[in-house]
Amino acid sequence: MDLAPLLTSGSLDDPDVVAAVAAAPEERILPDVTVVKVGGQSLIDRGREAVFPLLEEIVAATATHRLLIGTGGGTRARHAYATAAGVGLPTGVLSDLGASVAGQNATMLGYLLAKHGIPVVEPDALASLPLRLSEVRAAVFAGMPPYDMWQRVPDAGVIPPYRTDAGCYLVAETYGCAGMIYVKDEDGLYTANPKNDPSAELIPRITVDELLRADLPDLVVERGVLELMRSARHVRTVQVVNGLRPGLLTRALAGEHVGTLITA
């Protein structure tokens, strides 16, 4: 279908235009790549004891997988959010601050992976990803989406609703990647926070709609990810694994059901 007449003569919000564009085929840009999000607070903030075994596992996995490694912001981002919110700064400023901390974590992982030739790719250089992935089969990027001052304002408060979990998911969906794995410090999604509720039960598999209906007080991924998944075309399932347990990421990359699967 020739979309030019529709797009140049009508409103881009017209239902017929939207339907026509939706019917057009869409290319998967990196269909054999898996995005792996390394949690800032879950893993990176724990230092050598948590980070080094995980990086060894990631490097080993590049023998059979191509990986994009996204980084979270962790505790330092939360401190920045608290300070900025406390002095009355808006959501867009907090988004900038969160991006800078996620970038620091990406830089640190990049230096640790440098001896393996795995580079850090800056947000404005993502077009170089195919080259980097063909050379060394992996690259690191900061997980915060580059919304900066254009971050959507939340319904309440000023905390950016789309942070590093959402940013990594958007990379996976936009590039049509093979999968999205979140590496956390828990075995998956629970009915409550297992850190302070011993009665919390692991949920091995759940749909986005079921999860939204459950309205759990504590989620292992950002709620913004669930919103994004509802309209996804390519990455319809995300997996959450415990990065503090060696081997689980490798098993997840091999297609094994470990941790929690959230499907749209």
Side-chain angles (χ1 to χ4, degrees), residues 207-259:
T207 69
V208 168
D209 288 341
E210 289 170 341
L211 189 49
L212 290 171
R213 284 197 300 269
D215 195 24
L216 299 177
D218 197 292
L219 294 179
V220 75
V221 295
E222 297 162 13
R223 293 182 187 274
V225 173
L226 307 181
E227 298 171 10
L228 296 169
M229 289 182 68
R230 297 182 88 173
S231 55
R233 295 190 180 191
H234 303 301
V235 182
R236 305 280 296 171
T237 298
V238 302
Q239 190 164 3
V240 183
V241 301
N242 191 339
L244 300 177
R245 295 178 56 188
L248 290 188
L249 174 59
T250 301
R251 292 166 62 186
L253 287 167
E256 189 173 337
H257 182 178
V258 292

Side-chain angles (χ1 to χ4, degrees), residues 13-68:
D13 294 323
D14 183 279
D16 291 336
V17 173
V18 173
V21 173
E26 186 172 318
E27 290 292 323
R28 301 187 74 143
I29 300 170
L30 297 173
D32 63 340
V33 172
T34 300
V35 177
V36 176
K37 193 278 177 95
V38 179
Q41 194 170 49
S42 302
L43 276 298
I44 298 173
D45 287 351
R46 295 174 184 268
R48 176 185 292 265
E49 182 179 346
V51 171
F52 277 43
L54 179 63
L55 293 186
E56 290 176 5
E57 192 169 350
I58 286 173
V59 170
T62 60
T64 51
H65 301 276
R66 298 209 298 167
L67 305 176
L68 284 176

Side-chain angles (χ1 to χ4, degrees), residues 41 73-83:
Q41 194 170 49
T75 304
R76 278 172 289 119
R78 292 167 183 251
H79 282 309
Y81 292 152
T83 301

Side-chain angles (χ1 to χ4, degrees), residues 24 44 53 117 122 172 174 197 208 221 260:
I44 298 173
E122 299 296 332
T174 299
D197 187 345
V208 168
V221 295
T260 295

Side-chain angles (χ1 to χ4, degrees), residues 24 50 85 142 150 161 180 185 236:
W150 293 268
M180 173 74 244
D185 62 354
R236 305 280 296 171

